[in-house]
Amino acid sequence: MVVTVSLVALFGLVLFFLLRSNSLGYGSAFIAVMFGFFLASTGASGPINELATAVIDAVGEL
């Protein structure tokens, strides 16, 4: 749960800076957020969470 909250905060921060630098428009940001929201309710959410956890654990071991 802590990893999920941290990743949400990280991706939110990246999205914020992309919007501020005009690298990403508001329409594109909305589409990206909605894609993530609907992707989380599919069967792909389990493997994505496992992959993110494995990468975070691997980085922690370096």
Side-chain angles (χ1 to χ4, degrees):
M1 180 68 177
V2 174
V3 171
T4 304
V5 173
S6 299
L7 287 176
V8 168
L10 174 68
F11 289 135
L13 189 62
V14 169
L15 185 60
F16 171 76
F17 284 117
L18 285 173
L19 285 170
R20 278 192 56 124
S21 68
N22 292 327
S23 298
L24 183 68
Y26 289 107
S28 299
F30 177 75
I31 297 298
V33 169
M34 294 309 294
F35 174 74
F37 177 77
F38 287 114
L39 183 64
S41 65
T42 66
S45 65
I48 292 170
N49 284 334
E50 291 171 8
L51 176 66
T53 302
V55 168
I56 291 169
D57 290 340
V59 169
E61 296 292 324
L62 293 177

